[in-house]
Amino acid sequence: MKALNLIFIEILQAIVVIALAPAFAGWVDMLKCWTQGRTSAGVMQPYRNIAKLFVKDVVIADNASWIFRFTPYLVFGSAVVVGSVVPIISMNLFLAPSADIIVVIAIFATARFFMALAGMDIGTAFGGMGASREMMVASLTEPAILMAIFTVSLAGRSTSLLHIARAFASGALVLRPSIVFAGIAFVLVVIAETGRIPVDNPSTHLELTMIHEAMILEYSGRHLALIEWGAMIRFFLFVTLGIACFLPWGIAVTDNAGDIATSIFLMVIKLGVAGTVLVVIETGLAKMRLFRLTEFLGAAFLMATLGVIAFFILE
Amino acid sequence: MISPIELSIIPVVAFIIPVVFVVVIGNDRQRLIRMSFSVSALASFISVVAGAMAVAGHSVEQVVLPLGLPTLPFHLRLDQLSGFFIFVVGLLSFFVSVYSVGYVSGLGAGKPVKRLIVFYNIFIAAMLMVCLADDALCFLVAWEVMAASSYFLVMFEDGRSENRRAAYLYMVMAHIGAVLILLSFGVMAGVTTGFEDFSCYTFDAMRAAKFPLKWATVAFLLSFFGFAAKAGVIPFHVWLPEAHPVAPSNVSALMSGVMLKTAIYGIVRITFDIIKVFPWWWGTMVLVLGLVSAVMGVLYALMQHDLKKLLAYHSVENIGIILIGIGLSMIFTSFHLPVMAALALIAGLYHTMNHAMFKGLLFMGAGAVLHATHERNMDEMGGLIHLMPWTSAFFLVGCISISALPPFNGFVSEWLTFQAFLLSPSLPIPMMKLLIPLGAALLALTGALAAACFVKVFGVIFLGNWRGHSQHVVTEAGWSMRAGMSLASLACLCLGVLPAIVINWMDAISESLLNARLVTTSGVYGWMWLTPVDPERASYSGPLVLIGIVAVCAVTYVLLHVKPGNISRVPVWDCGFKKLTPKMQYNAVSFSMPFRRIFGFLFDIKEQIRLTPQRQHPAFPENSQYYLRVRDRFWGWLYRPVIDRVVLLSRKAGMLQHGRIHVYLIYSFVTIIVLLALL
């Protein structure tokens, strides 16, 4: 019975992640429309987009190789795998020990590696440009994200996501300076990793500002649907990863149905708030020039380093 | 039953057989190549078995050979550490020998294949001997044979002056290193007994001795910098990017994959086995040099567009990552934290093995590409994935592994190193607690930059369209080259997915050197979970991650293909602009442009754009020329002044030599008078 419960929770979480990710992306888009004084298409618009893309035919360039066709599946698959190890609705995930927080970041990096390769596969200038820029941003983000992780795992005495979340959830609600610094760094990193303003603009098709969009410019049909969906799941997961590390209160510890339901309800509220915060940042800032990103990501790295220093000096 | 040490001597002797073949059947080229590399492969395979048995056997065996000096015969010893390195050397030599059958046959008719076969075999035998040696003489003899044979392999195409220059530079660096190592042995032997007899030159005598800190430091610094010159630690790395590209690719694979590792073996042997007790700043120095090598190595690599040069710079990076693990282990050891030291040491050694596998694979792939295209410049390639599907798949495995991405092997060792970094709060010195995490950030930077670099390498060589001017017909590599590469790819995958089994096996090394074991197994399915330290702290399951991703991809694929979807292949959309040419693709130089902008201050960059304006309007230039030169700063900072001084000094000294006999007679006469006056 116990084992069945665990499998059920695992499957439930995967379904929640896959199904709710477009809604979260839609929520952020909707808020963004409102704050910019536009009419929005509603929370459900990403679902309609994906559904539309799935029924369309695939058009591929003549010289595309298997890497181009394989990448969408890998992007989607890796996102789903990560979705089943991050404690989102419950802290009793039997798959969670298979990947700690460093592995989670590395799985995302694998997906990005293939995405960049797919960008270079066709041999157009846009694809190469996107790949080059994406890898540049990634190489600057990686040290910052690692330092943020480092702070959290020093405080939680583990790199396992479950243990970090449990350690914080069971502790009292105190303001720890190290965690605050790490949290700020994490927010900056999430903005960079998920390609949002001021690092990248998800809704642009202007050649000079594209990063992510430039890489996937040649995709169409179900391939594009998978990539878009994968990117939404990735966005969703980065936010829930932040929640699990910094605000884990309310994630179900036991596996009875009531707790899980409360946990899902709390998750929706937290996501709603997190989305609002991101939209405020995004609307308040303008897209940065590519080579000013070093300052932005340098700031993230500095914050995370301050977190580590604060941990050793103050705690 | 034959004992591991006897089994490990057999291949050393067996490597002489191909040398005999050269004499006996030297005229039948194809048969010579096939037979001699088969024997090399077999001999390598025997040493793999011997090494594996030695590590698993938990025993130490010694043999004294009737060779060497009368008072100091060659001592050989096979313990877990040497067993491990013999395993690594043997494994890569096995793959490369299989590969070489096809590769060497495909070399041009005028190439000195016999010389290649002779020195190739002596080279591998010497590497095995370095790992087996148990006295200073035997070690140095093997070390020098290794250096000399690899010198002749680098000189393979000696018709070109740049190759001779590279080989010469390599020889000079190798000898500076060898002299330092020799001096280090002298210091240690001197402290041991005060030169009573030659037995103080055996490692056993040195192991038994207690070194005063002052002399231990001198010995350590000498040997460390001696080995660092061989390993290519920054700032001693300048020979690597010169020597690796000009050697034949199978030799580059061995030199980069395993010859550099003999230097790592030397460092571990001397610090952990012979000196044993040391202050924390030694480890800190190793750690800092490792971090500098890792970051600078990958940045220099990113700037290259010569494929083999790029891979050579990546060797600098990976040696840096290995030294990070070893340095951390030394720091933990000096604070008496054996379990943590074991974790860091295993991380370093695991990366040693991983790097041997993926770098060997990448150099083999590079050899296949060079062989097919006759090009070393990546900007003249492109789209090879359609022409060389197998090679490209194997090369991709190497790229993913070296970029430290799961589920392949590079990630496992980097993950272990991160775990070792995370244990640094146990150190008693507050300053180190603060600074060591920054090292982890640098390691993360290295990993991400390596990924960027290999997106560039794979993307430019294999993807897109052909950029080159030459209309050479490119064909897929032959079966033996594919076999060698597929074996190495398989090793990369296995080491990445099943690390728990390998680390369980390797634990014997840390047990013998540090008296500490890792907790690697938990529960019934121990082989699935990698849990160093303890399962609460961190865990990684390679098999589950791999199966998970494959399963989700497969399910998605099947679900999307229930209804037969339509895929139409069309020409690339050119935005209505009808002149899309392969020249418009991103190439290696443009790909690394953002990195040049950001990290440019670390390089000596000269960039020029010259536009020839058109007569009608200057906004439409007739043609443009782009010139870029990126150079190693160390050459100008460190080597150029030293070389200039040396040349100046020798010119001054040269004034003494006139070639006139009566002047020399006066010199001798003055010397005798001075000596008489002094004595």
Coordinates of all heavy atoms in Angstrom, one line a residue, chain B residues 126 130 137-151 170-171 174-179 181 230:
Chain B
A126 N 56.9 2.1 -21.8 CA 57.6 3.0 -20.8 C 56.5 3.5 -19.9 O 56.8 3.7 -18.7 CB 58.3 4.1 -21.6
V130 N 56.7 3.2 -15.8 CA 56.7 4.3 -14.9 C 55.8 4.0 -13.7 O 56.1 4.3 -12.5 CB 56.2 5.6 -15.6 CG1 55.9 6.7 -14.6 CG2 57.3 6.1 -16.5
L137 N 65.9 5.2 -9.8 CA 66.6 4.9 -11.0 C 65.6 4.4 -12.1 O 65.5 4.9 -13.2 CB 67.7 3.9 -10.8 CG 68.5 3.6 -12.1 CD1 69.3 4.8 -12.6 CD2 69.4 2.4 -11.8
C138 N 64.9 3.3 -11.7 CA 64.0 2.7 -12.6 C 63.0 3.7 -13.1 O 62.6 3.8 -14.3 CB 63.4 1.5 -11.9 SG 62.2 0.6 -13.0
F139 N 62.4 4.4 -12.1 CA 61.4 5.4 -12.5 C 61.9 6.4 -13.5 O 61.3 6.7 -14.5 CB 61.0 6.2 -11.2 CG 59.9 7.1 -11.4 CD1 58.6 6.7 -11.2 CD2 60.1 8.4 -11.8 CE1 57.5 7.6 -11.4 CE2 59.0 9.3 -11.9 CZ 57.7 8.9 -11.7
L140 N 63.2 6.9 -13.3 CA 63.7 8.0 -14.2 C 64.0 7.4 -15.5 O 63.9 8.0 -16.5 CB 64.9 8.7 -13.5 CG 64.5 9.7 -12.5 CD1 65.7 10.1 -11.7 CD2 63.8 10.9 -13.1
V141 N 64.5 6.1 -15.5 CA 64.9 5.5 -16.8 C 63.6 5.4 -17.6 O 63.5 5.8 -18.8 CB 65.5 4.2 -16.6 CG1 65.6 3.4 -17.9 CG2 66.9 4.3 -16.1
A142 N 62.5 4.8 -17.0 CA 61.3 4.7 -17.7 C 60.7 6.1 -18.1 O 60.2 6.2 -19.2 CB 60.2 4.0 -16.8
W143 N 60.8 7.0 -17.2 CA 60.3 8.4 -17.5 C 61.0 9.0 -18.7 O 60.4 9.6 -19.6 CB 60.6 9.2 -16.3 CG 60.0 10.6 -16.3 CD1 60.6 11.7 -16.6 CD2 58.7 10.9 -16.0 NE1 59.8 12.8 -16.5 CE2 58.5 12.3 -16.1 CE3 57.5 10.2 -15.6 CZ2 57.4 13.0 -15.9 CZ3 56.3 10.9 -15.4 CH2 56.3 12.3 -15.5
E144 N 62.3 8.8 -18.8 CA 63.1 9.3 -19.9 C 62.8 8.6 -21.2 O 62.7 9.2 -22.3 CB 64.6 9.3 -19.6 CG 65.0 10.4 -18.6 CD 64.7 11.8 -19.1 OE1 65.6 12.2 -19.9 OE2 63.7 12.3 -18.8
V145 N 62.7 7.3 -21.1 CA 62.3 6.5 -22.3 C 61.0 7.0 -22.8 O 60.8 7.2 -24.0 CB 62.3 5.0 -22.0 CG1 61.7 4.2 -23.2 CG2 63.7 4.5 -21.7
M146 N 60.0 7.2 -21.9 CA 58.7 7.7 -22.3 C 58.9 9.0 -23.0 O 58.3 9.3 -24.1 CB 57.9 7.8 -21.0 CG 56.5 8.3 -21.2 SD 55.6 8.3 -19.6 CE 56.0 9.9 -19.0
A147 N 59.6 9.9 -22.4 CA 59.8 11.3 -23.0 C 60.5 11.2 -24.4 O 60.0 11.8 -25.4 CB 60.6 12.2 -22.1
A148 N 61.5 10.4 -24.5 CA 62.3 10.3 -25.7 C 61.4 9.7 -26.8 O 61.4 10.2 -27.9 CB 63.5 9.5 -25.5
S149 N 60.7 8.6 -26.5 CA 59.9 7.9 -27.5 C 58.8 8.8 -28.0 O 58.5 8.9 -29.2 CB 59.4 6.6 -27.0 OG 58.7 6.7 -25.8
S150 N 58.2 9.6 -27.0 CA 57.1 10.5 -27.5 C 57.7 11.6 -28.3 O 57.0 12.2 -29.2 CB 56.3 11.0 -26.3 OG 57.2 11.5 -25.3
Y151 N 59.0 12.0 -28.0 CA 59.6 13.0 -28.8 C 59.7 12.6 -30.3 O 59.3 13.4 -31.2 CB 61.0 13.3 -28.3 CG 61.9 14.1 -29.2 CD1 61.7 15.5 -29.3 CD2 62.9 13.5 -29.9 CE1 62.6 16.2 -30.2 CE2 63.7 14.2 -30.8 CZ 63.5 15.6 -30.9 OH 64.3 16.3 -31.7
Y170 N 58.9 20.6 -26.8 CA 58.5 19.5 -25.9 C 59.7 18.9 -25.2 O 59.6 18.7 -24.0 CB 57.7 18.5 -26.7 CG 57.5 17.2 -26.0 CD1 56.8 17.2 -24.8 CD2 57.8 16.0 -26.6 CE1 56.6 16.0 -24.1 CE2 57.6 14.8 -25.9 CZ 57.0 14.8 -24.7 OH 56.7 13.7 -24.1
M171 N 60.7 18.7 -25.9 CA 61.9 18.0 -25.3 C 62.5 18.9 -24.2 O 62.8 18.4 -23.2 CB 62.9 17.8 -26.4 CG 63.9 16.8 -26.2 SD 63.1 15.2 -25.9 CE 64.4 14.1 -25.7
A174 N 60.2 18.8 -21.2 CA 60.2 17.5 -20.6 C 61.5 17.3 -19.8 O 61.5 16.8 -18.7 CB 60.2 16.4 -21.7
H175 N 62.6 17.9 -20.3 CA 63.8 17.8 -19.6 C 64.0 18.7 -18.4 O 64.5 18.3 -17.3 CB 65.0 17.9 -20.5 CG 65.3 16.6 -21.1 ND1 64.7 16.2 -22.3 CD2 65.9 15.5 -20.6 CE1 65.0 14.9 -22.5 NE2 65.7 14.5 -21.5
I176 N 63.4 19.9 -18.5 CA 63.4 20.7 -17.3 C 62.6 19.9 -16.2 O 63.1 19.9 -15.0 CB 62.7 22.1 -17.6 CG1 63.6 22.8 -18.5 CG2 62.5 22.8 -16.3 CD1 63.0 24.1 -19.0
G177 N 61.5 19.3 -16.6 CA 60.7 18.6 -15.6 C 61.5 17.4 -15.0 O 61.6 17.2 -13.8
A178 N 62.2 16.7 -15.9 CA 62.9 15.5 -15.5 C 64.1 15.9 -14.5 O 64.3 15.2 -13.5 CB 63.5 14.8 -16.7
V179 N 64.7 17.0 -14.8 CA 65.8 17.4 -13.9 C 65.2 17.7 -12.5 O 65.8 17.3 -11.5 CB 66.5 18.7 -14.5 CG1 67.4 19.3 -13.5 CG2 67.3 18.2 -15.7
I181 N 62.6 16.5 -11.1 CA 62.2 15.2 -10.5 C 63.4 14.5 -10.0 O 63.5 14.0 -8.8 CB 61.4 14.3 -11.5 CG1 60.1 15.0 -11.9 CG2 61.1 13.0 -10.8 CD1 59.5 14.3 -13.1
K230 N 55.4 18.2 -17.0 CA 54.9 17.1 -17.9 C 53.4 17.2 -18.1 O 52.9 16.9 -19.1 CB 55.3 15.8 -17.2 CG 55.1 14.6 -18.1 CD 56.2 14.7 -19.2 CE 56.3 13.4 -19.9 NZ 57.4 13.4 -20.9

